Amino acid sequence: MDEVTGAELIAESLKTQNVEYMFGIVGVPIIEVAMAAQAAGIKYVGMRNEQAACYAASAIGYITGRPGACLVVSGPGLIHALGGMANANMNCWPVVVIGGSSDQNQETAGAFQEFPQVEACRLYSKFSARPSSLEAIPSVIEKAVRTSIYGRPGAVYVDIAGDMVNAKVDRSKVREASCCPPPPVSLADHAAVTEAISVLKAAKTPLVIIGKGAAYSRAETVLREFVEISSLPFLPTPMGKGTLPDDHPNCVAAARSRALLQADVILLLGARLNWILHFGMPPRFNPHVKIIQVDLCAEEMGNNVRPAVALLGDISAIVTQLLTCVRKDGWKYPYDAVWWSTLKSKMAANEKISKSLALQATLPMNYYTVFHHMSQLLPRDCIIVSEGANTMDIGRTMLNNHLPRHRLDAGTFGTMGVGLGFAIAAAAVEKSRNKGRRVVCVEGDSAFGFSGMEVETMCRYNLPVVIVVVNNNGIYSGVSPETWKEMTKMGDLTSIVPPVSLLPEARYDEVMAAFGGRGLLVRTVEELRSALELSLSDWERPSLLNVLIDPSSDRKQQEFPWLTRSNL
């Protein structure tokens, strides 16, 4: 008999479904699954925390369009991964979580790390199941992968009982499952497309909003042609950045608030009217704005704002439909319209304010100074990973993206701690594809702390990620070393230290150096430029720049009162 183990079936089934990467932490009962995955040709990256492993696997799904796998042990291991599953579901990114669990004959008996895993994962995934037998493993894996990428992408969970991992079955009895094809592409109703074009033509102040759904659907080529032929201004959402280059002449990101407030027609491409876009409601939006909503998910249509036109289907396919109509009619929004003048004027004013902040010569540096000099040195094709409060918020306005799916951040769920996992995933893909693009991970000091031990993972796998920790000694803001020194003399620090404070000038650079990476402490513009140039030229090991900035540094003054609250 040709016998095969459960571990081998899991690995072979994932490989058949074109799952290329697995991230996880091994232990009882899934050690053999990781070994079998490597033997089957799947790239395995051992992480330091299951949450970061799940973040990494989900980023693979976004970058490549095929889910990564996250392998976790039972009980606490699976619970730690739930954060990554929830984040993937909110971001609409495909990921397959494989969790070991208690032996079948020990259920309800108080087995080691026993937990209702299948039931728990149903809250955080599109699909959650345990194969009923070894023979069923390939078909369950196929359905899991297919479910993760079909419709609105998301997380799926497959539970593997401990006694199934090393159990054997005659291969002839196994139900084979071939690789599921790419998701079917759906088009919008022709009449709805015609109506959408009519609404656009009647607009006085139109705006295109490009969401990460457009990036995921690989809409960049046809979208660029549509924007340039129609001459419409566009605004990217945070992870929509780079779908069209941020320095494209039609990009009005520098006038974001004005564009949203005064647009009378918005073409919403793969973005949701959630908190990131202020729910599409006043006072952030024109109360009479007409929304042309393009989305893959029928249930999303009309969420918070009823669309004037709903176009249901694949973003890339629908933009192609819109482009065909625009070409046929020869319609073009006038580039000399008052709307364009208004947007350009506001962009120039905002850029002037940001530049004045960036060129301040005082020490410690502020956010704008750091990002201004970074923007001059980062390669156009680099992948930017970013998280933090002000670090991410200010950074996305100053660090441009020029290619699609080259920005990864806290996303729809506003999750902190995602950065290092995302960076590891991006670097692993770049290394295997020999693309030669740099991965630059821009972290607030608080955000870095969530997954900081993953720098060891980077060093272990020789992933040349450049981490920039923008260190203001706290969450939102911190205190100076002098103030900290005075507080330590005042008594019990648990009653004195502000809840937002972290240890002043903590040496995160030495953490990286401890594992063999390059750690650099940065205080001045000259040190920043020198350290970044050196790190970008080093392809042999990861680097961490610990950039000390003014603890009171903040965003520039906002024009509208509802923008003063810090947004992720």
Side-chain angles (χ1 to χ4, degrees), residues 193-204:
V193 173
T194 302
E195 185 181 359
I197 292 296
S198 297
V199 173
L200 271 176
K201 287 180 179 179
K204 290 185 173 61

Side-chain angles (χ1 to χ4, degrees), residues 237-251:
T237 62
M239 271 192 280
K241 283 167 58 70
T243 307
L244 298 187
D246 283 343
D247 59 359
H248 190 284
N250 290 41
C251 181

Side-chain angles (χ1 to χ4, degrees), residues 398-413:
M398 300 190 69
L399 300 178
N400 285 344
N401 287 93
H402 305 280
L403 293 171
R405 299 167 297 283
H406 276 52
R407 179 182 169 87
L408 305 167
D409 66 22
T412 307
F413 212 24

Side-chain angles (χ1 to χ4, degrees), residues 15 18 40 49 133 325 460 477 507 541 551:
K15 185 65 175 177
N18 287 338
N49 182 279
S133 63
C325 291
R460 186 168 13 115
S477 63
R507 295 301 301 273
R541 56 179 174 165

Side-chain angles (χ1 to χ4, degrees), residues 16-33:
T16 297
Q17 300 305 321
N18 287 338
V19 174
E20 296 183 60
Y21 298 89
M22 179 180 283
F23 303 83
I25 300 177
V26 296
V28 176
I30 47 82
I31 296 175
E32 291 84 358
V33 176

Side-chain angles (χ1 to χ4, degrees), residues 34 91 111 225 250 274 299 322 422 446 454 482 524 565:
N91 272 346
E225 192 171 357
N250 290 41
N274 54 20
E299 290 80 2
L322 294 169
F422 286 178
S446 170
E454 298 300 342
E482 294 74 23
T524 67
R565 181 179 172 188

